[in-house]
Amino acid sequence: MTTPLPTITFPNGRTVPALGQGTWRMGEDTADRASEIRSLNLGLDLGLTLIDTAEMYASGGSEEVVGAAIETRRDEAFLVSKVLPSNASREKTIRACENSLKRLRVEQIDLYLLHWRGNHPLSGTVEAFEQLKAEGKIAAWGVSNFDVEDLEELADMPAGSSVATDQVLYNLSRRGIEHDLLPYAAARSLPIMAYSPLDEGRLLPHPILAKIGRELDATPAQVALAFVLARPGIIAIPKTGSAERVKENHAALSLALTPAHYAALDEAFPPPATKRPLEMI
Ligand code: NAP
């Protein structure tokens, strides 16, 4: 019998495992396309149904890879894509979404995000998101790289409370959101998507991860992911184009860190004592 995966439920009731798949830098090199499609499919086989992409990634190339990967199994995937701030006006958001739908070759995006705040008024972006939802082109919408004050501003707008997630940078070396954004989101049952949970690989050489890994028969990547996954209300979206690493990252779901491990991690990567401005990559 296999243990059920920890899950996250979005405000519209859709539930996904707390580990998803990132796709930044996929679609950049056609030589990698087959292995990228293979790794996304293996992730789906293992139940990692949420796939995160964006119109920005490889200028649409990542969405095309995702579209190819899910072509015969659309219903198994929960697709997240993002509109660039420069495209996030009331009118252009609609077109950007329609272009993403074409590249993904699907009728609907499950969750559509504003990639980060730009110069277009947020109210216009939200109106466009609501129109896309009413037309069935997206099932839900959210934001990315929003700090607490941005979320508060959003909450005060008409339909602002329909926000379904905030996707932000979170990993052992970027713990600022533990001070304010995570408690804010938890109080509102707003799921947080943790991007770059391995800090784009920079975390992995840290000796404490190797030490804990030796004790648990785990890799540094698994320890770093287990730290993020242990927090309720968070979905981590590591990216890998390697099938072996998809299996490795998936196994992090069943890795349990002990209080002594958390203490050692806190010493190496101190939690925030005061407010830190939201970091982004
Ligand atoms: P990440 O997931 O922290 O790290 C990805 C890097 O780690 C890749 O170089 C990958 O290489 C490597 N890797 C993955 N698993 C590994 C393992 N088990 N062992 C060793 N190396 C491993 O960084 P990320 O791609 O920046 O973030 C994840 C996803 O979050 C992105 O792909 C994207 O979907 C999203 N994101 C969103 C934003 C935003 O502004 N909203 C910003 C950044 C990222 P290989 O592919 O060669 O395995």
Side-chain angles (χ1 to χ4, degrees), residues 21-23 26-27 30-48 51 64-71 73 240-247:
Q21 307 188 72
T23 66
M26 287 191 184
T30 47
D32 296 331
R33 187 180 168 89
S35 64
E36 289 166 354
I37 291 175
R38 233 186 349 264
S39 59
L40 288 171
N41 269 291
L42 177 64
L44 286 177
D45 295 343
L46 293 170
L48 309 183
I51 300 178
E64 285 171 2
V65 167
V66 173
I70 61 149
E71 195 176 8
R73 51 196 310 193
T240 180
S242 140
E244 276 314 305
R245 286 177 175 173
V246 172
K247 282 190 229 161

Side-chain angles (χ1 to χ4, degrees), residues 14 44 49 70-78 106 110:
R14 286 287 301 278
L44 286 177
T49 54
I70 61 149
E71 195 176 8
T72 60
R73 51 196 310 193
R74 164 68 187 103
D75 292 348
E76 292 172 61
F78 182 101
V106 298
D110 297 293

Side-chain angles (χ1 to χ4, degrees), residues 24 52 144-145 167 196 198 200 237 239-241 245 249:
W24 192 15
D52 178 77
S144 178
N145 297 300
Q167 183 181 117
S196 307
L198 306 173
E200 298 184 296
I237 49 167
K239 175 265 172 185
T240 180
R245 286 177 175 173
N249 294 348

Side-chain angles (χ1 to χ4, degrees), residues 21-26 51-54 56-57 82 113-116 143-145 167-169 171 194-202 204 219-222 225 237-242 244-246 248-249 280-281:
Q21 307 188 72
T23 66
W24 192 15
R25 307 198 197 288
M26 287 191 184
I51 300 178
D52 178 77
T53 183
M56 184 188 97
Y57 302 161
K82 313 182 196 81
L113 310 182
L114 172 59
H115 209 145
W116 65 90
V143 293
S144 178
N145 297 300
Q167 183 181 117
V168 291
L169 176 62
N171 61 54
Y195 75 70
S196 307
L198 306 173
D199 210 43
E200 298 184 296
R202 282 182 293 269
L204 304 182
T219 65
Q222 288 172 327
L225 288 175
I237 49 167
K239 175 265 172 185
T240 180
S242 140
E244 276 314 305
R245 286 177 175 173
V246 172
E248 179 185 334
N249 294 348
M280 58 185 280
I281 285 181

